[in-house]
Amino acid sequence: MNKCLIAMSGGVDSAVAALMTKEKGIECVGATMKLLGGGGIELDEQHACCSKEDIEDARKVCERLGMEHYLYDFSEHFAEKVVNKFVHAYETGATPNPCIECNRYLKFERLFEEAENLGCDCISTGHYARVQYNEKNGRWILKKAKDLSKDQSYVLYSLTQNQLSKVIFPLGDMTKAEAREIAEENGFVNAHKKESQDICFVKGEDYTEFIERYTGKKYPDGNFVDRDGNILGTHKGIIRYTVGQRKGLGLALPAPLYVCELDTKKNEVILCPHEGLFTKELTATDINLISVPDLYTPMKVKAKVRYRHTEQSATVVQIDENTIRVTFDEPQRAITKGQAVVLYDGDIVVGGGTIF
């Protein structure tokens, strides 16, 4: 690898990734993505992940390291590929993970295009994950980070073989504390910068408020019903509910009930007792396989059905080119349409897909 584009968010992780990549003797250039402010999305300078402060911090780190810095306005593409899909998911009764879409379509699609335009043959980012080449089957593999508390392999399952062959994750073998220490030792302006934990485009408001403001729609009230169709009360718009939810229903019931299904055609929120949330099987589409070329032969794996889910033993089999079925050894709570199921073999990412 001779020339590398560094994805510079303005945070400490990408700054340290830039330093470590440069120390490998690779020629580096920095690139910052402006994601908000397009497609009708207001840019909140106090909260946005690509605020003027973030852009300036990224520029200062590049200047300190003697790197060129490029700013790319991807706001329209972000609105199309991330925000619109986020809104559509809630409107169709799903619960999305926009960070996965951002990684897929912005950080590892658009940035790769710009890297090629700049004559770069690789991209380096501040993600906590690891990439290796498997000599036995000739495939690039994605592995969990050494620091499991910071591991981001779940949101990177969509990386293709071509992308994995051209990506560097310098932080994969270190802890967050070690990254901050390196940043401080090198005088980076963002050494002690706080991390962003929320969805970048709904900062300062509830996601339902964002959706109503963004679309200009008012989502109509409808019925809460049980699985037999009995009406239990009135809900305040179907986008306000997700599978597994108990709080915020506004119902006085003789026993606790939970959201177990959303029927967008009837505009009904279906409720059930807690035990009704548990299922053993799911189907996922839009799959990407990493460590293996296919899964037509059933394979024992560990599977996660959301980012904070503890992975569980399961068997996966591929149904067709774009679909897998996952059967868990034990029933899992609140498997949710729209979330990603990611499959692991030890610390290796087998692949993943979108639950439907």
Side-chain angles (χ1 to χ4, degrees), residues 6 17 26 54 75 88 134 185 198 243-244 307 310 312 328 353:
I6 318 293
I26 301 172
D54 290 326
S75 57
H88 179 71
N134 187 333
E185 289 173 352
D198 302 315
V243 172
Y307 185 63
T310 301
Q312 301 292 319
F328 289 92

Side-chain angles (χ1 to χ4, degrees), residues 78 82-83 86 96-103 199-201 339:
F78 182 79
V82 180
V83 182
F86 174 87
N97 187 323
C99 293
I100 289 176
E101 304 301 320
C102 184
N103 277 297
I199 299 171
C200 65
F201 52 89
Q339 289 285 289

Side-chain angles (χ1 to χ4, degrees), residues 11 16 27 35-36 57 72 115 119 167 173 175 179 191 203 211 226 273 277 282 304:
V16 175
E27 180 185 354
L35 301 179
L36 304 182
D57 287 348
Y72 294 104
V167 71
D173 287 312
T175 66
K203 294 289 182 69
I211 291 174
D226 62 21
L277 295 175
L282 66 82
K304 292 178 66 168

Side-chain angles (χ1 to χ4, degrees), residues 37 77 95 113 119 214 217 219 229 239 248-249 268 321 334 343 350:
H77 194 66
T95 303
E113 294 173 4
Y214 182 71
K217 298 178 184 177
Y219 294 86
I239 65 167
L249 302 183
E268 291 180 341
E321 183 180 358
L343 314 172
V350 176

